[in-house]
Amino acid sequence: MTGSLTVVGLGPGEARYLTPAAQAALDQASDLIGYGPYLDRIPVRTGQSKHASDNRVEIDRARHALELAAAGKKVAVVSGGDPGVFAMAAAVFEAVEAGEPGWRELTITVEPGVTAMLAAAAAAGAPLGGDFCAISLSDNLKPWDVVTVRLEAVLRADFVICLYNPISKARPWQLGKALELALAVRAPDTPVLFARAIGRADEALRVLTLGEAHEAAGTADMATLVMIGASGTRLIAREGKAPFVYTPRSVTKSPCATSQGRT
Ligand code: SAH
């Protein structure tokens, strides 16, 4: 088979966050496939075709991409941020695993991108300086029970927690519930970031306490990355400017000693 498929991360927003390797993969593609708003970010050169699709049909989009590659095209499937983080790369491999045996012989590559939590962390300072984790709050692809069990475990283990897909019109209560679980374990003055549309013109970074974040859960949206600090996460106040938020790399107490014993 002569076709190829590459899953390309576009980064969180503007073109300056696109890596040169990702740009090269886009330039070399004959066909670009992805969710419409992501495709709109990419200028098309002559001879390239764009195939926009609805956000909800990731597996169909992956199969379509594989069919085009099997027919000899050089296909780039685009994703916001990093394509391996809650995004298209996993859908492509799922489709390969369940699909035509010949698809396994295709040249399939993944071009990484700057994922939302890294862009959000950089905008705030260095909140990911210690151990951290990422959880998607979407219960479209997993039961809410699973989210609860994982959240409770990492809250107790004192990780900084990055919440992707925090809220949407169809999932209005999950973020409030997650922050309620956090309040049961962590101090109400724990720093929380609401990082919205980072890397885009309408970027907005809010530094709140956990107590304030719980009250303000309804003001987050699908373009927001929520980051809950660990016990070591702290602020450096600045006159007239947003504080720096950082987590020191050194940990001196065990999570059992620092989880405030609130339960
Ligand atoms: N693959 C993407 C994540 C897809 S899940 C990545 O690596 O970033 C979609 C979620 O990512 C959104 O609900 C939001 O929580 C987060 N997100 C994506 N882009 C963002 C941005 N520019 N600023 C803040 N959060 C963002």
Side-chain angles (χ1 to χ4, degrees):
M1 288 195 185
T2 55
S4 64
L5 187 157
T6 178
V7 199
V8 181
L10 301 180
E14 291 156 8
R16 65 199 161 102
Y17 289 109
L18 190 71
T19 69
Q23 181 64 63
L26 295 177
D27 292 344
Q28 284 154 21
S30 62
D31 293 70
L32 301 167
I33 299 194
Y35 177 45
Y38 293 140
L39 280 184
D40 292 345
R41 288 197 211 161
I42 307 165
V44 179
R45 62 164 174 74
T46 41
Q48 264 182 336
S49 315
K50 272 189 183 181
H51 309 262
S53 59
D54 185 85
N55 199 18
R56 294 208 153 241
V57 286
E58 286 193 344
I59 281 286
D60 294 349
R61 191 188 306 153
R63 293 182 63 85
H64 182 205
L66 286 158
E67 280 160 9
L68 286 172
K73 305 284 191 186
K74 284 182 171 307
V75 183
V77 178
V78 303
S79 251
D82 181 272
V85 178
F86 307 126
M88 277 307 294
V92 166
F93 290 113
E94 207 176 316
V96 168
E97 191 177 32
E100 306 289 332
W103 288 353
R104 296 176 185 222
E105 310 314 320
L106 289 166
T107 302
I108 300 177
T109 52
V110 180
E111 282 299 342
V114 177
T115 187
M117 68 178 173
L118 300 187
L128 303 181
D131 294 338
F132 63 89
C133 67
I135 297 183
S136 170
L137 283 197
S138 170
D139 54 0
N140 291 336
L141 298 171
K142 65 189 170 203
W144 179 252
D145 279 5
V146 172
V147 178
T148 305
V149 168
R150 290 182 181 172
L151 261 178
E152 285 179 336
V154 291
L155 280 163
R156 274 171 218 292
D158 203 22
F159 284 89
V160 171
I161 304 169
C162 301
L163 300 176
Y164 283 75
N165 296 309
I167 196 163
S168 73
K169 287 202 178 74
R171 295 180 295 101
W173 55 265
Q174 283 82 348
L175 177 61
K177 185 70 198 166
L179 293 168
E180 189 185 311
L181 293 173
L183 266 174
V185 179
R186 295 199 180 168
D189 63 350
T190 302
V192 171
L193 299 179
F194 278 16
R196 185 180 186 281
I198 299 299
R200 303 182 203 151
D202 52 343
E203 166 173 328
L205 179 69
R206 280 188 286 162
V207 182
L208 306 170
T209 66
L210 178 54
E212 288 166 348
H214 181 244
E215 294 296 311
T219 65
D221 65 7
M222 272 304 279
T224 307
L225 183 289
V226 174
M227 200 183 293
I228 305 173
S231 63
T233 306
R234 61 192 74 180
L235 306 183
I236 301 175
R238 295 189 296 164
E239 199 60 45
K241 288 184 180 158
F244 290 123
V245 184
Y246 89 106
T247 308
R249 296 188 60 198
S250 55
V251 175
T252 48
K253 286 186 218 150
S254 94
C256 304
T258 56
S259 66
Q260 283 85 39
R262 287 169 53 83
T263 48

PDB file of all heavy atoms in Angstrom, residues 20-42:
ATOM      1  N   PRO A  20       6.949  22.658  13.960  1.00  0.00           N
ATOM      2  CA  PRO A  20       7.393  22.564  12.557  1.00  0.00           C
ATOM      3  C   PRO A  20       7.123  21.174  11.972  1.00  0.00           C
ATOM      4  O   PRO A  20       6.776  21.053  10.796  1.00  0.00           O
ATOM      5  CB  PRO A  20       8.896  22.864  12.646  1.00  0.00           C
ATOM      6  CG  PRO A  20       9.025  23.749  13.867  1.00  0.00           C
ATOM      7  CD  PRO A  20       7.998  23.210  14.838  1.00  0.00           C
ATOM      8  N   ALA A  21       7.257  20.118  12.768  1.00  0.00           N
ATOM      9  CA  ALA A  21       7.004  18.759  12.256  1.00  0.00           C
ATOM     10  C   ALA A  21       5.523  18.588  11.892  1.00  0.00           C
ATOM     11  O   ALA A  21       5.189  17.965  10.881  1.00  0.00           O
ATOM     12  CB  ALA A  21       7.415  17.723  13.296  1.00  0.00           C
ATOM     13  N   ALA A  22       4.639  19.151  12.714  1.00  0.00           N
ATOM     14  CA  ALA A  22       3.200  19.063  12.417  1.00  0.00           C
ATOM     15  C   ALA A  22       2.890  19.861  11.148  1.00  0.00           C
ATOM     16  O   ALA A  22       2.118  19.414  10.289  1.00  0.00           O
ATOM     17  CB  ALA A  22       2.382  19.567  13.603  1.00  0.00           C
ATOM     18  N   GLN A  23       3.497  21.042  11.025  1.00  0.00           N
ATOM     19  CA  GLN A  23       3.285  21.860   9.817  1.00  0.00           C
ATOM     20  C   GLN A  23       3.739  21.092   8.577  1.00  0.00           C
ATOM     21  O   GLN A  23       3.047  21.078   7.556  1.00  0.00           O
ATOM     22  CB  GLN A  23       4.056  23.187   9.940  1.00  0.00           C
ATOM     23  CG  GLN A  23       3.872  24.123   8.747  1.00  0.00           C
ATOM     24  CD  GLN A  23       2.427  24.601   8.598  1.00  0.00           C
ATOM     25  OE1 GLN A  23       1.905  25.284   9.468  1.00  0.00           O
ATOM     26  NE2 GLN A  23       1.768  24.209   7.510  1.00  0.00           N
ATOM     27  N   ALA A  24       4.901  20.422   8.664  1.00  0.00           N
ATOM     28  CA  ALA A  24       5.420  19.655   7.516  1.00  0.00           C
ATOM     29  C   ALA A  24       4.447  18.533   7.152  1.00  0.00           C
ATOM     30  O   ALA A  24       4.192  18.280   5.965  1.00  0.00           O
ATOM     31  CB  ALA A  24       6.796  19.094   7.842  1.00  0.00           C
ATOM     32  N   ALA A  25       3.881  17.871   8.161  1.00  0.00           N
ATOM     33  CA  ALA A  25       2.925  16.784   7.888  1.00  0.00           C
ATOM     34  C   ALA A  25       1.681  17.328   7.184  1.00  0.00           C
ATOM     35  O   ALA A  25       1.142  16.684   6.267  1.00  0.00           O
ATOM     36  CB  ALA A  25       2.550  16.080   9.194  1.00  0.00           C
ATOM     37  N   LEU A  26       1.239  18.516   7.574  1.00  0.00           N
ATOM     38  CA  LEU A  26       0.069  19.124   6.912  1.00  0.00           C
ATOM     39  C   LEU A  26       0.416  19.483   5.464  1.00  0.00           C
ATOM     40  O   LEU A  26      -0.378  19.252   4.553  1.00  0.00           O
ATOM     41  CB  LEU A  26      -0.375  20.392   7.654  1.00  0.00           C
ATOM     42  CG  LEU A  26      -0.899  20.211   9.078  1.00  0.00           C
ATOM     43  CD1 LEU A  26      -1.224  21.566   9.701  1.00  0.00           C
ATOM     44  CD2 LEU A  26      -2.133  19.314   9.107  1.00  0.00           C
ATOM     45  N   ASP A  27       1.615  20.034   5.276  1.00  0.00           N
ATOM     46  CA  ASP A  27       2.025  20.452   3.926  1.00  0.00           C
ATOM     47  C   ASP A  27       2.075  19.262   2.968  1.00  0.00           C
ATOM     48  O   ASP A  27       1.758  19.388   1.787  1.00  0.00           O
ATOM     49  CB  ASP A  27       3.424  21.105   3.962  1.00  0.00           C
ATOM     50  CG  ASP A  27       3.416  22.445   4.699  1.00  0.00           C
ATOM     51  OD1 ASP A  27       2.316  23.003   4.898  1.00  0.00           O
ATOM     52  OD2 ASP A  27       4.504  22.902   5.087  1.00  0.00           O
ATOM     53  N   GLN A  28       2.512  18.105   3.486  1.00  0.00           N
ATOM     54  CA  GLN A  28       2.703  16.935   2.621  1.00  0.00           C
ATOM     55  C   GLN A  28       1.409  16.176   2.329  1.00  0.00           C
ATOM     56  O   GLN A  28       1.376  15.309   1.461  1.00  0.00           O
ATOM     57  CB  GLN A  28       3.710  15.967   3.264  1.00  0.00           C
ATOM     58  CG  GLN A  28       5.147  16.470   3.132  1.00  0.00           C
ATOM     59  CD  GLN A  28       6.065  15.937   4.218  1.00  0.00           C
ATOM     60  OE1 GLN A  28       5.756  14.920   4.841  1.00  0.00           O
ATOM     61  NE2 GLN A  28       7.168  16.633   4.450  1.00  0.00           N
ATOM     62  N   ALA A  29       0.343  16.484   3.053  1.00  0.00           N
ATOM     63  CA  ALA A  29      -0.895  15.703   2.912  1.00  0.00           C
ATOM     64  C   ALA A  29      -1.613  16.023   1.608  1.00  0.00           C
ATOM     65  O   ALA A  29      -1.589  17.158   1.134  1.00  0.00           O
ATOM     66  CB  ALA A  29      -1.811  15.998   4.096  1.00  0.00           C
ATOM     67  N   SER A  30      -2.251  14.995   1.039  1.00  0.00           N
ATOM     68  CA  SER A  30      -3.140  15.244  -0.106  1.00  0.00           C
ATOM     69  C   SER A  30      -4.557  15.507   0.396  1.00  0.00           C
ATOM     70  O   SER A  30      -5.333  16.214  -0.226  1.00  0.00           O
ATOM     71  CB  SER A  30      -3.134  14.041  -1.056  1.00  0.00           C
ATOM     72  OG  SER A  30      -3.636  12.880  -0.390  1.00  0.00           O
ATOM     73  N   ASP A  31      -4.887  14.918   1.559  1.00  0.00           N
ATOM     74  CA  ASP A  31      -6.243  15.017   2.108  1.00  0.00           C
ATOM     75  C   ASP A  31      -6.186  15.332   3.591  1.00  0.00           C
ATOM     76  O   ASP A  31      -5.453  14.678   4.337  1.00  0.00           O
ATOM     77  CB  ASP A  31      -7.003  13.697   1.909  1.00  0.00           C
ATOM     78  CG  ASP A  31      -7.286  13.418   0.445  1.00  0.00           C
ATOM     79  OD1 ASP A  31      -6.325  13.128  -0.288  1.00  0.00           O
ATOM     80  OD2 ASP A  31      -8.461  13.530   0.054  1.00  0.00           O
ATOM     81  N   LEU A  32      -6.971  16.337   4.014  1.00  0.00           N
ATOM     82  CA  LEU A  32      -7.032  16.722   5.424  1.00  0.00           C
ATOM     83  C   LEU A  32      -8.408  16.365   5.958  1.00  0.00           C
ATOM     84  O   LEU A  32      -9.428  16.708   5.346  1.00  0.00           O
ATOM     85  CB  LEU A  32      -6.816  18.231   5.573  1.00  0.00           C
ATOM     86  CG  LEU A  32      -5.479  18.775   5.039  1.00  0.00           C
ATOM     87  CD1 LEU A  32      -5.518  20.301   4.947  1.00  0.00           C
ATOM     88  CD2 LEU A  32      -4.347  18.339   5.950  1.00  0.00           C
ATOM     89  N   ILE A  33      -8.434  15.678   7.091  1.00  0.00           N
ATOM     90  CA  ILE A  33      -9.713  15.247   7.671  1.00  0.00           C
ATOM     91  C   ILE A  33      -9.795  15.716   9.107  1.00  0.00           C
ATOM     92  O   ILE A  33      -8.811  15.617   9.852  1.00  0.00           O
ATOM     93  CB  ILE A  33      -9.825  13.699   7.675  1.00  0.00           C
ATOM     94  CG1 ILE A  33      -9.749  13.183   6.245  1.00  0.00           C
ATOM     95  CG2 ILE A  33     -11.095  13.241   8.356  1.00  0.00           C
ATOM     96  CD1 ILE A  33     -10.174  11.753   6.101  1.00  0.00           C
ATOM     97  N   GLY A  34     -10.963  16.207   9.522  1.00  0.00           N
ATOM     98  CA  GLY A  34     -11.114  16.580  10.924  1.00  0.00           C
ATOM     99  C   GLY A  34     -12.421  17.298  11.169  1.00  0.00           C
ATOM    100  O   GLY A  34     -13.219  17.527  10.258  1.00  0.00           O
ATOM    101  N   TYR A  35     -12.590  17.659  12.436  1.00  0.00           N
ATOM    102  CA  TYR A  35     -13.742  18.445  12.881  1.00  0.00           C
ATOM    103  C   TYR A  35     -13.618  19.828  12.214  1.00  0.00           C
ATOM    104  O   TYR A  35     -12.525  20.416  12.183  1.00  0.00           O
ATOM    105  CB  TYR A  35     -13.658  18.514  14.401  1.00  0.00           C
ATOM    106  CG  TYR A  35     -14.700  19.331  15.092  1.00  0.00           C
ATOM    107  CD1 TYR A  35     -16.043  19.243  14.763  1.00  0.00           C
ATOM    108  CD2 TYR A  35     -14.332  20.183  16.137  1.00  0.00           C
ATOM    109  CE1 TYR A  35     -16.989  19.989  15.432  1.00  0.00           C
ATOM    110  CE2 TYR A  35     -15.271  20.929  16.818  1.00  0.00           C
ATOM    111  CZ  TYR A  35     -16.606  20.831  16.460  1.00  0.00           C
ATOM    112  OH  TYR A  35     -17.526  21.565  17.128  1.00  0.00           O
ATOM    113  N   GLY A  36     -14.739  20.318  11.674  1.00  0.00           N
ATOM    114  CA  GLY A  36     -14.736  21.553  10.879  1.00  0.00           C
ATOM    115  C   GLY A  36     -13.923  22.713  11.464  1.00  0.00           C
ATOM    116  O   GLY A  36     -13.030  23.250  10.789  1.00  0.00           O
ATOM    117  N   PRO A  37     -14.174  23.117  12.733  1.00  0.00           N
ATOM    118  CA  PRO A  37     -13.452  24.262  13.287  1.00  0.00           C
ATOM    119  C   PRO A  37     -11.927  24.065  13.318  1.00  0.00           C
ATOM    120  O   PRO A  37     -11.178  25.027  13.203  1.00  0.00           O
ATOM    121  CB  PRO A  37     -14.009  24.381  14.706  1.00  0.00           C
ATOM    122  CG  PRO A  37     -15.369  23.757  14.631  1.00  0.00           C
ATOM    123  CD  PRO A  37     -15.257  22.667  13.618  1.00  0.00           C
ATOM    124  N   TYR A  38     -11.466  22.819  13.477  1.00  0.00           N
ATOM    125  CA  TYR A  38     -10.011  22.582  13.444  1.00  0.00           C
ATOM    126  C   TYR A  38      -9.485  22.743  12.024  1.00  0.00           C
ATOM    127  O   TYR A  38      -8.436  23.335  11.790  1.00  0.00           O
ATOM    128  CB  TYR A  38      -9.660  21.181  13.971  1.00  0.00           C
ATOM    129  CG  TYR A  38      -9.938  20.991  15.437  1.00  0.00           C
ATOM    130  CD1 TYR A  38     -10.477  19.821  15.926  1.00  0.00           C
ATOM    131  CD2 TYR A  38      -9.628  22.001  16.351  1.00  0.00           C
ATOM    132  CE1 TYR A  38     -10.728  19.647  17.273  1.00  0.00           C
ATOM    133  CE2 TYR A  38      -9.871  21.830  17.705  1.00  0.00           C
ATOM    134  CZ  TYR A  38     -10.434  20.654  18.154  1.00  0.00           C
ATOM    135  OH  TYR A  38     -10.673  20.480  19.483  1.00  0.00           O
ATOM    136  N   LEU A  39     -10.255  22.188  11.050  1.00  0.00           N
ATOM    137  CA  LEU A  39      -9.827  22.307   9.650  1.00  0.00           C
ATOM    138  C   LEU A  39      -9.775  23.762   9.206  1.00  0.00           C
ATOM    139  O   LEU A  39      -8.913  24.150   8.430  1.00  0.00           O
ATOM    140  CB  LEU A  39     -10.795  21.546   8.738  1.00  0.00           C
ATOM    141  CG  LEU A  39     -10.622  20.037   8.653  1.00  0.00           C
ATOM    142  CD1 LEU A  39     -11.607  19.475   7.637  1.00  0.00           C
ATOM    143  CD2 LEU A  39      -9.203  19.654   8.255  1.00  0.00           C
ATOM    144  N   ASP A  40     -10.715  24.574   9.765  1.00  0.00           N
ATOM    145  CA  ASP A  40     -10.767  25.988   9.378  1.00  0.00           C
ATOM    146  C   ASP A  40      -9.498  26.735   9.769  1.00  0.00           C
ATOM    147  O   ASP A  40      -9.186  27.776   9.207  1.00  0.00           O
ATOM    148  CB  ASP A  40     -11.977  26.683  10.033  1.00  0.00           C
ATOM    149  CG  ASP A  40     -13.282  26.172   9.459  1.00  0.00           C
ATOM    150  OD1 ASP A  40     -13.244  25.524   8.385  1.00  0.00           O
ATOM    151  OD2 ASP A  40     -14.334  26.402  10.089  1.00  0.00           O
ATOM    152  N   ARG A  41      -8.770  26.205  10.757  1.00  0.00           N
ATOM    153  CA  ARG A  41      -7.533  26.872  11.197  1.00  0.00           C
ATOM    154  C   ARG A  41      -6.386  26.698  10.205  1.00  0.00           C
ATOM    155  O   ARG A  41      -5.374  27.362  10.312  1.00  0.00           O
ATOM    156  CB  ARG A  41      -7.049  26.233  12.511  1.00  0.00           C
ATOM    157  CG  ARG A  41      -7.845  26.529  13.737  1.00  0.00           C
ATOM    158  CD  ARG A  41      -6.956  26.160  14.927  1.00  0.00           C
ATOM    159  NE  ARG A  41      -7.693  25.697  16.069  1.00  0.00           N
ATOM    160  CZ  ARG A  41      -7.146  24.996  17.058  1.00  0.00           C
ATOM    161  NH1 ARG A  41      -5.876  24.681  17.042  1.00  0.00           N
ATOM    162  NH2 ARG A  41      -7.864  24.617  18.094  1.00  0.00           N
ATOM    163  N   ILE A  42      -6.552  25.730   9.272  1.00  0.00           N
ATOM    164  CA  ILE A  42      -5.416  25.386   8.408  1.00  0.00           C
ATOM    165  C   ILE A  42      -5.610  25.961   7.010  1.00  0.00           C
ATOM    166  O   ILE A  42      -6.599  25.663   6.346  1.00  0.00           O
ATOM    167  CB  ILE A  42      -5.315  23.849   8.259  1.00  0.00           C
ATOM    168  CG1 ILE A  42      -5.297  23.208   9.634  1.00  0.00           C
ATOM    169  CG2 ILE A  42      -4.083  23.458   7.463  1.00  0.00           C
ATOM    170  CD1 ILE A  42      -5.563  21.726   9.570  1.00  0.00           C
TER     171      ILE A  42
END
